């Protein structure tokens, strides 16, 4: 492989280890070895702040996926991993959490470079939360239990039995993740999968492969046996090969609903288990009695955090009619103040979108919204003339049928709509194929509880947005997914139950 000379013009503040990491082509991790793709091909990963290459990574395809699945199978069937005691897995996972904490600045910078988000946020949120997830799941490794069952066995009169259940790992798990929170989405899956004793193949998104590869070094440093964690970088074809592979027992996927449906089709061959975290178009509901300032700040963060590239982004803003004009004006004003720039600039609040493709897609929605008759209170166009920046955009005068209201845009764009107290807001809020999250802003406790029950979504946040916690389950209603990640129940996604009944 040949290294691409990285553009270093805005890399002056980079950590030496990040410089070293991007100064050469990055191989992938299969069976404990750092290897090139079988084809020898590589692909460039791009800095979205400049549209220039950062470095090249191995271009894995179906052949490499097959190599990785074999390595994971061998590690599951023959390796020391499955003979390890739960407390040994606990210590390894805890160590990963500690290393991530120690190296948070490095991970934050690399994520900022590859994804475009602010390095400070990538260190403080993406990396430190990932560390927390590894430590939380380290604790779960020793708490995976079956149960004893007092069976009746009516067809064996007089018999005596000892019956119990075992909770066992599923086996070889394929983990396919998107580019919006590259390290975090990988951690959501890796930590419970490994706590439960599975072996894994991680396929990061082609736009953002770098922190997954750096995480591979952390697994090595922590002392994981070879083949337990394999990382194959590549495009959708590599993900498709993983989803279709007959020797993979489970696929955990985060990404678009469109690709999620393809995963379901591909998994049919061997009926592998599937869990899905998919798209969203979440309602954020502001009642007239809400704390105005708090609701404005929270509602801006709801759709602008991570440049709108959040599956849970509160991009349908429902505001009770008496405060609609003032509230949307305040949201537009606050959004227009956001400092736009590259993720490596510490003052940046809004970075670039991740890729040219995403930039074109979001630009298309801006044009469609305006053509449909929506009015932009702020934004509505590209920012600057380099990189993939879009101005934060607040649309009003929108109809429920507009594509900017129905479809996931995945950029810093919100569509605001008024609602009336007498008709309520639940029907409009639930008018979506998605059901991932929702926000509610009110000072009336009864209204908060009542509305939380009416909303069809996997997470509801009251007087806050993005109210995630490692201990709270997360996942989607409707076409936003299957299963719940995070929380202790995530272990269920990576284990299966065996019923043992012994005639005494
Ligand atoms: P995507 O679906 O295009 O890609 C996600 C991953 O799937 C990538 O690794 C990609 O290479 C791979 N892939 C592509 N085609 C594939 C195929 N046919 N078979 C198997 N794998 C394939 O999504 P994206 O554009 O990277 O991410 C944005 C989407 O992710 C949004 O829809 C967003 O809502 C969703 N998302 C959901 C959550 C959640 O928890 N619900 C979290 C983050 C992102």
């Amino acid at each position: 492989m040949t290294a691409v000379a990285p553009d270093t013009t805005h890399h002056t503040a980079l950590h030496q280890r990040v410089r070293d990491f991007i100064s050469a082509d990055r191989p992938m991790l299969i069976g404990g070895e750092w290897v090139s793709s079988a084809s020898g091909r590589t692909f460039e990963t791009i800095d979205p702040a400049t549209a220039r290459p950062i470095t090249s990574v191995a271009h894995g395809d179906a052949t490499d996926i097959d190599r990785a699945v074999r390595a994971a199978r061998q590690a599951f069937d023959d390796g020391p991993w499955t003979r390890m005691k739960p407390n040994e897995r606990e210590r390894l996972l805890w160590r990963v959490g500690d290393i991530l904490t120690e190296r948070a600045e490095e991970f934050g910078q690399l994520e900022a470079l590859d994804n475009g988000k602010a390095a400070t946020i990538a260190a403080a949120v993406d990396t430190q939360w990932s560390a927390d997830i590894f430590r939380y799941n380290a604790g779960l490794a020793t708490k995976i239990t079956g149960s004893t069952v007092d069976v009746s066995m009516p067809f064996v009169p007089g018999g005596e039995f000892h019956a119990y259940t075992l909770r066992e790992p599923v086996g070889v798990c394929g983990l396919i993740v998107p580019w919006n929170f590259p390290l975090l989405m990988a951690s959501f899956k890796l930590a419970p999968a490994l706590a439960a004793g599975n072996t894994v193949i991680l396929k990061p998104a082609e736009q953002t492969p770098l922190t997954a590869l750096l995480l591979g070094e952390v697994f090595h440093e922590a002392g994981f046996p070879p083949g337990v964690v394999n990382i194959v970088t590549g495009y959708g074809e590599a993900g498709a090969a993983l989803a279709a592979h007959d020797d993979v027992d489970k696929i955990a996927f985060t990404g678009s609903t469109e690709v999620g449906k393809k995963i379901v089709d591909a998994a049919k061959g061997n009926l592998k288990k599937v869990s899905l975290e998919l798209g969203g178009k979440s309602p954020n509901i502001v009642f007239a009695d809400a704390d105005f300032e708090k609701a404005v700040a929270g509602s801006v963060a709801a759709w602008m955090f991570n440049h709108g590239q959040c599956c849970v982004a509160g991009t349908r803003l429902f505001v009770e009619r008496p405060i609609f004009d003032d509230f949307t004006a305040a949201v537009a004003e606050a959004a227009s103040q956001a400092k736009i720039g590259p993720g490596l600039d510490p003052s940046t609040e809004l970075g670039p979108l991740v890729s040219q493709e995403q930039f074109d897609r979001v630009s298309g929605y801006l044009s469609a919204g305006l053509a449909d008759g929506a009015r932009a209170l702020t934004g509505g166009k590209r920012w600057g003339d380099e990189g993939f920046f879009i101005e934060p955009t607040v649309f009003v005068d929108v109809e429920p049928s507009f594509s900017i209201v129905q479809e996931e845009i995945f950029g810093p764009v919100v569509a605001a709509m008024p609602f009336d107290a007498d008709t309520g807001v639940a029907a409009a809020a639930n008018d979506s194929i998605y059901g991932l999250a929702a926000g509610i802003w009110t000072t009336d406790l009864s209204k908060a509880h009542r509305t939380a029950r009416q909303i069809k979504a996997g997470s509801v946040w009251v007087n806050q947005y993005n109210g995630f916690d490692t201990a709270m389950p997360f996942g989607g209603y409707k076409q936003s997914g299957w299963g719940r990640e995070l929380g202790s129940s995530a272990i269920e996604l990576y284990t299966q139950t065996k019923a043992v009944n012994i005639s005494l």
Side-chain angles (χ1 to χ4, degrees), residues 176-180 185 203-206 235-236 239-240 253-256 259 262-263 277-280 311 408 410 436 474:
I176 305 174
V177 296
W179 46 260
N180 59 342
M185 292 300 105
K203 210 298 278 173
E206 55 272 31
Y235 286 77
F253 172 78
T254 297
S256 59
V259 174
K262 291 185 187 170
I263 300 276
E277 296 286 359
L278 307 176
C311 52
E408 184 177 45
F410 235 55
L436 195 54
F474 171 68

Side-chain angles (χ1 to χ4, degrees), residues 281-288 314-325 327-329 331 374-375 377 394-407 409 413-421 423-425 427-432:
K281 188 77 185 174
S282 297
N284 183 35
I285 301 162
V286 183
F287 287 96
T315 49
R316 290 182 298 139
L317 176 61
F318 294 96
V319 185
E320 204 170 339
R321 199 174 300 274
I323 63 163
F324 183 81
D325 289 345
F327 193 86
T328 50
V331 164
R375 183 162 55 93
L377 290 183
V394 179
F395 278 127
V396 293
D397 298 345
V398 301
E399 296 294 332
S401 60
F402 289 4
S403 63
I404 55 168
V405 176
Q406 288 299 329
E407 296 171 23
I409 299 176
V413 183
V414 69
M417 292 157 278
F419 70 91
D420 295 297
T423 47
V425 67
N430 288 331
D431 179 19
S432 170

